[in-house]
Amino acid sequence: MTEYPTSQEGPQPVASGGGTDEAGHGKAPIAATEAVRTHAPGTGAEPGGSAAAASDARAARSAAGLPRPRGAAAGDVPAGADCPQGQAQAQAQGQLPDPGHDNARPRDGATHGDAGAVAGAGGAGRHGGGGTGTPVGGTGEATAARREGDRLRFVGAATRRIARGIDLDEIVLGLCRATVPTFSDAILVYLRDPLPVGDERPVGPVVLRLRRTDRLRPIDDLTDLSSTIGAGMDLAGAAGATGELDFSQLPLVGPQGDLPAAELCEIRPGGALAEVLRGVRPVFASSAAARVALPELLGVDHPLPRGNRAVLAPLRGRRRVIGAAVFLRSPERPAFEPNDLLVAAQLATHTALGIDKAVLYGREAYIADELQRTMLPDSLPQPTGVRLASRYLPAAETARVGGDWYDAIPLPGSRVALVVGDVMGHSMTSAAIMGQLRTTAQTLAQLDLPPAEVLHHLDEQAQRLGSDRMATCLYAVYDPVAHRITIANAGHPPPVLLHLGGRAEVLRVPPGAPIGVGGVDFEAVELDAPAGGTLLLYTDGLVESRLRDVWTGIEQLRERLATTAQLTGLDHPPPLEALCDDVLDMLGPGDRDDDIALLAARFDGIAPSDVAYWFLDPEETAPGRARRFARRALTRWGLEELSDSLELLVSEVVTNAVRYAERPVTLRLLRTDVLRCEVGDDSPQLPRQRRARDTDEGGRGLFLVNRMARRWGATRLSSGKVVWFELSLPGQPERR
């Protein structure tokens, strides 16, 4: 009879089991102690029982499937040892362990199956025998009830352990740990590869892959493991001289711990395995269907265990079979019973439903990660005159989607727009709204609108998305030529500027109302952006938590930046990437209540000596004047090698601008790591490259720019457009 100790959830009383025949049919349970008491003379308390009584006791133990007492050979059972008085005498003679000794006390959640059975039987004799030792009627029913209770407690503990898993591996591991060695000596878990998700219809053949195997480990402490497995199995008798169980009669479980089963199995439509899995219910290996299905699953080279020592249980999710589990028992243990099929069905059902949920959860987590990744920039641009670094941290591993975002958008004139925002909530909806607002901000930035105007349009867009779509945002534009930054704020925490000397300053910017409120004007402020300074834009998750308010967090951030600058030296700024990591280190264990977006900008600027700027009237002489101005600038910078290329391209771009412009045309040259030329006019029509025909007199200007320039582009402004191109400096590789 199978025992089900609930060692997973703490010690529970477990009754001794009765025997089963090889076909798995339960025999009538026989209490060994009652059999001994029946044959003992008098009350059964005499220390010197007869050899016949001892023989009857051994027969009763064998019929009930109980183990032989540890340390006793065949025929060495002391007479009356199963009754309380006999136990006391045997303990005095050293034949039974002392209940008060450590070696007899169950440890680590061990069950008390033998002790409970002996105590229960002894109690029945004392109260109902009247000194005759005759067992009271109904003891078999009580034992069966205890066994059913143990079975229910085991199923409850096992399903709770399986349900604790979140991902796929945790659920499968929970099944293995809950059943080995309590329910079986080994287990093999097969799952479909790939696992179907939701309502997806699988394509191609159904393939099962061996996901995990587990088996009873070698026995180092027979006392502990015996108490863990329960009273229905005698490990002392089953273990060999090396301290390992003998699995030689169980071909699927090798003596070295390997499980040489097939790793992949393709289910043939209409085959025996497909029929068993379609039937859903677990089956014994000795059944006609399983005898054909198991070789198909495990491989034909592996013989099946004899009798009911293997159970094949299909794993069926909500819509389809997703795998199979094979439970195995060694010959030293009673075979499975018909009631064990119900236990296997419960374990398989809970495992399959848990796997179904884990797959769905994994798909949702994957979608969330992909959504968050696509909503945030893969990499930051490298605009001239500023260096950038960023960080993003989700609120928790189980809530990886949030509404925080950051962005850096190159603008005409070597400027760059710095954006950081925070949408309310931590859901897929918040991430979707964040993506729409970020796309809107990028579009508005390309129009080169003032920062306050950008926030105004974002506010209108948030109101169109819904009445409760609110977000905070800070939009700043840095000009490396003028060394100035213009900032507009919509309810966002103020930025912090770390100066070159180590002083950290919280910038005074208008607070503004959050985006989505509607009917609120936004203000912008223009501040100095000194070379070597570092501007830190962040979301409130960095400075606000349940343990501190936002202004306390801002002050701690300012102090942290100042301390970091002092450690690296006051004559040079700290490394930008290391600075971001150091800022995040200020977060404590209880400070991760919200996701965090962080954007750091190091102002390098462009020196005035590296900038040349002119205004050209829209006349026919403008291209010639532009060529002369460009030649003079190259001479001053020592870049005469670029004169021919620059004059040709400047002439083509200025000629195109003069053709459509009504106001003066601007020409600007910037020398940084490249030579950049920018030509602006008041016409909003962007130039388009086309292939000129042989008979055309024009249309080849942009073709020349595209072939000779390192890069080129055109940007539409609120007051016109800017066409720009770049040339590599002498000694630098040509990059497109």
Side-chain angles (χ1 to χ4, degrees):
M1 195 72 174
T2 306
E3 300 297 334
Y4 302 94
T6 55
S7 58
Q8 315 292 343
E9 303 293 334
Q12 298 287 344
V14 178
S16 301
T20 62
D21 59 9
E22 196 62 30
H25 300 288
K27 295 181 178 179
I30 301 176
T33 51
E34 296 298 333
V36 173
R37 189 176 295 110
T38 301
H39 291 81
T43 62
E46 290 82 5
S50 65
S55 176
D56 292 340
R58 289 193 298 272
R61 282 182 173 276
S62 176
L66 292 176
R68 188 170 58 250
R70 185 176 303 152
D76 290 342
V77 179
D82 290 277
C83 63
Q85 295 86 349
Q87 289 180 359
Q89 182 174 358
Q91 291 165 4
Q93 298 174 357
Q95 295 173 325
L96 288 177
D98 183 4
H101 195 271
D102 289 341
N103 290 336
R105 185 167 58 251
R107 293 174 289 177
D108 300 331
T111 58
H112 303 270
D114 286 333
V118 173
R126 285 192 300 271
H127 293 285
T132 63
T134 303
V136 179
T139 303
E141 290 80 357
T143 303
R146 283 198 304 271
R147 291 167 180 163
E148 291 303 319
D150 295 338
R151 180 179 285 108
L152 292 177
R153 282 192 292 272
F154 164 74
V155 172
T159 53
R160 284 193 296 273
R161 179 159 191 172
I162 295 170
R164 282 199 295 264
I166 296 179
D167 59 16
L168 181 62
D169 292 331
E170 289 180 353
I171 294 173
V172 175
L173 178 62
L175 172 65
C176 295
R177 291 291 184 262
T179 55
V180 177
T182 309
F183 180 69
S184 62
D185 296 327
I187 185 175
L188 300 94
V189 181
Y190 284 83
L191 296 181
R192 292 181 65 162
D193 187 22
L195 279 168
V197 181
D199 297 328
E200 291 182 358
R201 298 183 64 86
V203 295
V206 178
V207 177
L208 297 182
R209 179 180 293 274
L210 184 60
R211 183 79 184 195
R212 186 178 180 88
T213 64
D214 205 351
R215 60 154 291 176
L216 190 63
R217 296 184 299 274
I219 302 172
D220 297 325
D221 190 343
L222 297 179
T223 303
D224 290 347
L225 196 53
S226 177
S227 61
T228 301
I229 293 179
M233 176 178 175
D234 185 9
L235 293 180
T242 59
E244 292 192 7
L245 288 176
D246 179 16
F247 286 102
S248 59
Q249 301 301 319
L250 192 56
L252 293 174
V253 185
Q256 279 73 37
D258 57 321
L259 290 171
E263 183 177 358
L264 287 176
C265 169
E266 180 177 337
I267 301 179
R268 299 191 302 270
L273 181 58
E275 293 298 325
V276 172
L277 296 182
R278 186 179 298 110
V280 176
R281 302 190 179 206
V283 294
F284 287 124
S286 58
S287 65
R291 281 198 300 267
V292 183
L294 276 175
E296 184 179 344
L297 176 65
L298 307 177
V300 295
D301 298 333
H302 303 285
L304 298 178
R306 296 189 299 272
N308 294 346
R309 301 193 179 277
V311 172
L312 173 59
L315 301 178
R316 179 175 179 81
R318 293 180 299 171
R319 291 177 176 85
R320 59 182 64 88
V321 174
I322 60 175
V326 181
F327 303 95
L328 304 167
R329 281 189 181 178
S330 63
E332 290 80 9
R333 189 171 184 175
F336 289 107
E337 299 178 348
N339 285 339
D340 292 330
L341 295 180
L342 301 178
V343 175
Q346 287 287 331
L347 299 178
T349 299
H350 283 272
T351 301
L353 293 178
I355 291 174
D356 248 1
K357 295 178 181 179
V359 172
L360 289 174
Y361 171 78
R363 172 60 63 88
E364 291 180 358
Y366 171 77
I367 294 174
D369 287 342
E370 287 296 307
L371 177 63
Q372 189 71 55
R373 185 185 62 81
T374 54
M375 293 300 179
L376 296 176
D378 291 335
S379 60
L380 294 174
Q382 299 177 355
T384 302
V386 62
R387 286 174 286 170
L388 303 172
S390 63
R391 295 291 186 273
Y392 176 81
L393 292 180
E397 289 296 325
T398 55
R400 303 185 65 87
V401 179
D404 291 15
W405 91 91
Y406 62 88
D407 216 339
I409 309 168
L411 300 178
S414 298
R415 296 170 301 149
V416 59
L418 307 174
V419 191
V420 64
D422 184 3
V423 178
M424 294 176 55
H426 302 89
S427 62
M428 302 282 282
T429 302
S430 301
I433 295 173
M434 177 266 287
Q436 296 180 69
L437 293 180
R438 177 174 178 249
T439 302
T440 304
Q442 288 180 331
T443 304
L444 296 172
Q446 294 300 326
L447 297 176
D448 200 22
L449 297 178
E453 196 70 16
V454 171
L455 294 184
H456 175 72
H457 288 291
L458 284 176
D459 179 60
E460 292 180 340
Q461 175 67 11
Q463 294 180 64
R464 284 191 290 267
L465 294 177
S467 58
D468 57 345
R469 310 309 189 193
M470 298 182 63
T472 63
C473 183
L474 192 143
Y475 187 91
V477 176
Y478 169 64
D479 189 343
V481 177
H483 295 271
R484 302 284 289 178
I485 186 169
T486 304
I487 304 175
N489 188 21
H492 204 78
V496 180
L497 178 62
L498 178 61
H499 293 267
L500 183 59
R503 181 173 64 92
E505 174 188 6
V506 180
L507 298 182
R508 297 180 178 271
V509 297
I515 292 173
V517 174
V520 179
D521 291 333
F522 298 98
E523 300 179 13
V525 60
E526 187 175 350
L527 304 171
D528 288 331
T534 304
L535 184 69
L536 201 68
L537 309 179
Y538 53 90
T539 55
D540 58 354
L542 180 65
V543 294
E544 186 180 18
S545 69
R546 292 171 295 177
L547 305 179
R548 59 181 176 182
D549 61 86
V550 60
W551 290 108
T552 301
I554 291 174
E555 181 61 22
Q556 292 178 358
L557 174 61
R558 188 193 65 80
E559 295 175 354
R560 187 61 174 259
L561 291 174
T563 302
T564 303
Q566 293 176 0
L567 294 176
T568 57
L570 303 180
D571 55 341
H572 60 277
L576 202 57
E577 296 289 343
L579 180 65
C580 293
D581 294 335
D582 192 65
V583 167
L584 294 180
D585 287 341
M586 65 179 282
L587 297 172
D591 293 343
R592 291 286 299 279
D593 300 331
D594 196 0
D595 47 341
I596 299 171
L598 178 66
L599 179 63
R602 174 69 45 76
F603 300 143
D604 293 334
I606 299 177
S609 58
D610 293 329
V611 180
Y613 197 89
W614 303 275
F615 286 94
L616 303 173
D617 292 330
E619 301 173 350
E620 295 181 357
T621 59
R625 295 176 58 196
R627 289 192 296 268
R628 290 195 299 271
F629 291 152
R631 189 184 309 114
R632 292 174 187 173
L634 293 181
T635 302
R636 185 171 73 249
W637 293 332
L639 300 176
E640 292 84 353
E641 299 179 23
L642 300 178
S643 294
D644 294 339
S645 300
L646 181 62
E647 289 182 31
L648 175 60
L649 299 184
V650 165
S651 179
E652 293 292 339
V653 176
V654 171
T655 299
N656 189 73
V658 169
R659 180 178 302 173
Y660 302 101
E662 296 180 359
R663 297 178 182 178
V665 176
T666 60
L667 172 63
R668 185 167 73 167
L669 297 179
L670 298 96
R671 182 187 64 168
T672 56
D673 54 341
V674 296
L675 181 64
R676 182 182 178 96
C677 176
E678 299 174 351
V679 178
D681 61 77
D682 60 346
S683 175
Q685 183 178 358
L686 296 179
R688 179 173 58 89
Q689 181 183 351
R690 63 184 179 89
R691 183 175 296 276
R693 293 174 296 182
D694 296 339
T695 57
D696 291 342
E697 295 182 0
R700 296 177 177 83
L702 290 181
F703 178 78
L704 293 175
V705 174
N706 184 64
R707 293 300 299 265
M708 299 181 62
R710 179 176 177 265
R711 289 194 310 161
W712 78 279
T715 304
R716 181 180 284 110
L717 307 178
S718 58
S719 58
K721 67 175 181 294
V722 169
V723 180
W724 56 270
F725 62 86
E726 294 176 351
L727 295 175
S728 299
L729 298 180
Q732 290 186 351
E734 294 285 344
R735 293 190 302 170
R736 302 290 297 182

